[in-house]
Amino acid sequence: MSNFNKKNKVAKKAGLPSDDKPQTIMANLYKKNIDLSDRNKTLSLLSKIYEIGILAIKPEELASRISREVQLNLNFEIVSIYKFEEASDSLIPLSFSISNRVSQSLKNHELLIAKTIISTISKEPALNEVVHLKKQNISIGVKNIWGVLLDSKKIEKFSKDSNIKNTFLYPLVVENRTLGMILISLNRNYKSLSSFEKESIKNIMNVTALALEKSYLYVELENANDQLREQDRQKDELLSMVSHQLATPVSAVRWNLEMMLDGDTGKLNKEQEDSLKSLQSISADLSDLVSMILDVSRIQLGRIKMDPQELDLDQFFKEILNVIIPKAKEKNVNFNISLPKQLPKAMLDKRYTRMTIENLLSNAVKYTSKEGDVDFTVTIQNDSMHCEVKDTGVGIPKADQDKIFGKQFRASNVRNAVDGNGFGLYIAKSAVESQGGKIWFDSKEGKGTTFFVTLPLGTRKKAIK
């Protein structure tokens, strides 16, 4: 087969007339290759803009990234994105990406176009058509945009020096609402752009508009979250203040009840003594609740402080067990204890460490049915204390497990069945981690839960087992 016939065959596949001359065929093939290259480049650009658009970033950063990609990939002189502010009828610059030639020209003429707000949109017909009438592809001279706002002679010289042939305006519209505008300046005539390039520019506008709307929603959400955080902080400040005010009278009530039960105010009959013991129990619970609220407030405000002191762990666990063993007996729960024969000293915050261990044991007893089992195991390894609290109770539903250390959170299977305030585990987590330790759990609903706590001893003394 001759070369000519081969080229005719290629031409047929390319959709060209087969009777063309070889030179014409090759020229048309070359043109098709160029068009295909432009299509691939534009599709790649649209993909990049989409990737930028899905990021959770602020409008200024989003606009800057998009305009830079468009300006570099399509070899435009200027690509600028503006935000439309309806209240002031103005276009606020979000980004301004330019070629080296434009950059040098702006410096030479000392022009600050990038930071110039385009105001009174309604008075400029071309801008009004873009922003208010939402018309696309409005051709306008550089002087018509910035000449009124800046030195018109400098603007005119800048336009010539930078070799800007055409400037086009495109509205950024989502659901018939104008978010802003994109300005594009070319160093060639608009007619020189292929139909595919023109269509691609419109696609870029649509993707950019959607990305910008998402970014505005992201900012609104961030602002709402900031307001919620501030309200939460103010609430914690109020709780802290109220709790401080409550702590003193509650302590006074407990002190007076203790005096009366000790007979300091006179002998009591059986009925009076029982009533005062009931009040003493209530005041103790109230005191614990006030302390918990104070602790929660300190955690939320970042004011929780540990006071590590030398702790005799033998005595420490005796005090805790003296509280838990009666509760287990009262509920008829099998409470199994495994402690080293002799425990070392430790440098820990006694109040917060006791609160953590006691809370885990109390919960285990509380959520375990009669004749169920609660196992408490303590071991000392590598200068750390490891505590394990295992129960055969109700367990924690899988859907609730990632929230169990949250403030005031209670598992759905006990929320309405057992009393509680949801503060204990929240405080425990902060107390353990603030001392360089770890707390975690393993649980299956209906089968039980095991909590693990590891705390550094803060001392080199070894346990004797």
Side-chain angles (χ1 to χ4, degrees):
M1 184 183 290
S2 67
N3 287 336
F4 181 75
N5 288 333
K6 285 181 181 179
K7 289 173 182 176
N8 274 343
K9 193 171 182 181
V10 172
K12 283 181 181 179
K13 287 184 179 179
L16 298 174
S18 59
D19 57 350
D20 279 356
K21 293 180 180 180
Q23 294 87 345
T24 305
I25 293 172
M26 296 307 294
N28 286 333
L29 285 173
Y30 177 77
K31 184 176 183 299
K32 279 191 171 290
N33 284 333
I34 293 295
D35 288 343
L36 184 60
S37 176
D38 286 343
R39 284 172 181 266
N40 288 336
K41 185 167 66 173
T42 307
L43 288 172
S44 174
L45 175 59
L46 284 170
S47 177
K48 287 180 183 177
I49 293 173
Y50 175 77
E51 288 174 5
I52 294 168
I54 62 176
L55 298 174
I57 53 179
K58 292 183 178 179
E60 292 80 6
E61 185 180 352
L62 177 115
S64 178
R65 290 193 187 189
I66 291 177
S67 62
R68 191 63 180 159
E69 287 290 343
V70 174
Q71 189 268 316
L72 288 174
N73 282 275
L74 299 183
N75 195 30
F76 292 153
E77 296 297 329
I78 301 175
V79 176
S80 186
I81 299 178
Y82 291 84
K83 171 188 175 182
F84 174 53
E85 192 176 81
E86 190 173 3
S88 61
D89 195 30
S90 301
L91 288 165
I92 315 297
L94 292 177
S95 66
F96 196 75
S97 296
I98 55 179
S99 65
N100 292 333
R101 178 165 45 194
V102 169
S103 176
Q104 189 58 52
S105 181
L106 289 173
K107 287 180 183 177
N108 292 341
H109 298 294
E110 298 179 341
L111 289 169
L112 296 174
I113 291 176
K115 297 181 180 179
T116 300
I117 296 172
I118 303 174
S119 54
T120 59
I121 304 301
S122 302
K123 293 182 180 180
E124 171 53 55
L127 293 171
N128 184 62
E129 284 188 21
V130 174
V131 175
H132 295 295
L133 302 181
K134 304 175 182 63
K135 289 188 176 180
Q136 295 188 1
N137 191 19
I138 303 296
S139 178
I140 189 171
V142 171
K143 189 176 179 180
N144 295 93
I145 301 172
W146 294 295
V148 179
L149 304 167
L150 301 170
D151 189 317
S152 60
K153 290 182 179 179
K154 286 185 178 181
I155 291 292
E156 194 170 346
K157 289 179 182 179
F158 155 72
S159 181
K160 291 179 181 178
D161 293 350
S162 56
N163 195 33
I164 292 175
K165 302 294 185 185
N166 284 105
T167 295
F168 301 96
L169 310 178
Y170 295 83
L172 295 173
V173 180
V174 175
E175 295 181 352
N176 206 36
R177 181 168 60 96
T178 303
L179 300 180
M181 176 188 83
I182 289 188
L183 178 149
I184 294 175
S185 291
L186 312 178
N187 58 12
R188 57 193 188 276
N189 292 323
Y190 186 74
K191 290 181 180 179
S192 68
L193 297 176
S194 67
S195 59
F196 185 75
E197 283 180 304
K198 293 173 184 177
E199 188 63 31
S200 296
I201 291 173
K202 290 182 180 179
N203 289 334
I204 289 168
M205 305 306 111
N206 294 333
V207 174
T208 301
L210 291 171
L212 198 59
E213 183 192 41
K214 176 181 173 293
S215 184
Y216 286 142
L217 291 173
Y218 166 74
V219 170
E220 288 177 13
L221 183 61
E222 279 289 291
N223 291 338
N225 285 337
D226 287 342
Q227 291 177 8
L228 287 173
R229 281 191 286 268
E230 176 58 21
Q231 289 173 5
D232 205 33
R233 188 195 65 78
Q234 291 177 4
K235 180 194 71 177
D236 288 322
E237 288 276 11
L238 179 62
L239 278 174
S240 180
M241 181 181 69
V242 171
S243 299
H244 273 295
Q245 296 297 320
L246 282 172
T248 301
V250 168
S251 296
V253 169
R254 292 188 67 186
W255 181 69
N256 277 285
L257 287 171
E258 192 173 331
M259 287 180 58
M260 293 169 73
L261 284 168
D262 288 342
D264 293 346
T265 57
K267 191 175 181 180
L268 303 172
N269 59 40
K270 183 70 169 60
E271 186 179 351
Q272 289 172 329
E273 186 175 346
D274 290 342
S275 295
L276 287 176
K277 282 182 179 179
S278 177
L279 287 173
Q280 189 180 46
S281 177
I282 293 170
S283 66
D285 291 341
L286 180 58
S287 179
D288 289 341
L289 180 59
V290 170
S291 294
M292 278 192 167
I293 293 173
L294 274 171
D295 288 328
V296 169
S297 298
R298 291 187 186 108
I299 293 168
Q300 288 289 99
L301 297 169
R303 295 175 185 169
I304 186 169
K305 290 182 180 179
M306 296 295 112
D307 182 22
Q309 297 177 355
E310 188 174 76
L311 197 61
D312 183 336
L313 292 180
D314 281 313
Q315 182 61 32
F316 173 76
F317 284 116
K318 282 178 184 176
E319 291 175 5
I320 292 176
L321 295 175
N322 285 340
V323 174
I324 302 301
I325 289 172
K327 291 183 179 180
K329 286 181 177 178
E330 183 181 349
K331 197 174 177 183
N332 196 22
V333 167
N334 301 315
F335 187 36
N336 309 302
I337 304 162
S338 177
L339 300 175
K341 291 181 180 179
Q342 186 175 341
L343 286 158
K345 306 287 184 184
M347 290 298 293
L348 294 169
D349 184 295
K350 181 178 180 180
R351 176 172 169 269
Y352 280 112
T353 305
R354 174 170 177 169
M355 186 188 300
T356 298
I357 305 300
E358 196 170 303
N359 177 263
L360 295 177
L361 289 169
S362 293
N363 283 349
V365 172
K366 184 193 298 185
Y367 299 126
T368 299
S369 59
K370 290 181 179 180
E371 298 183 359
D373 295 308
V374 172
D375 299 330
F376 179 44
T377 305
V378 177
T379 57
I380 306 296
Q381 295 176 351
N382 301 324
D383 297 317
S384 292
M385 178 175 70
H386 306 271
C387 299
E388 183 179 312
V389 179
K390 181 179 181 181
D391 66 58
T392 57
V394 296
I396 303 168
K398 192 170 183 179
D400 294 341
Q401 290 185 9
D402 61 339
K403 310 180 197 79
I404 204 67
F405 289 110
K407 183 177 68 174
Q408 286 184 291
F409 182 82
R410 301 191 69 221
S412 54
N413 59 338
V414 298
R415 200 171 294 155
N416 300 317
V418 185
D419 290 337
N421 53 44
F423 289 143
L425 290 177
Y426 177 74
I427 297 171
K429 187 174 189 295
S430 183
V432 170
E433 292 179 352
S434 294
Q435 297 186 91
K438 294 180 181 179
I439 181 170
W440 70 100
F441 68 92
D442 181 43
S443 184
K444 288 185 180 179
E445 188 174 7
K447 293 187 177 180
T449 303
T450 304
F451 273 91
F452 306 90
V453 174
T454 297
L455 282 166
L457 293 174
T459 175
R460 292 289 177 182
K461 294 182 180 180
K462 303 280 186 177
I464 301 173
K465 296 189 179 180

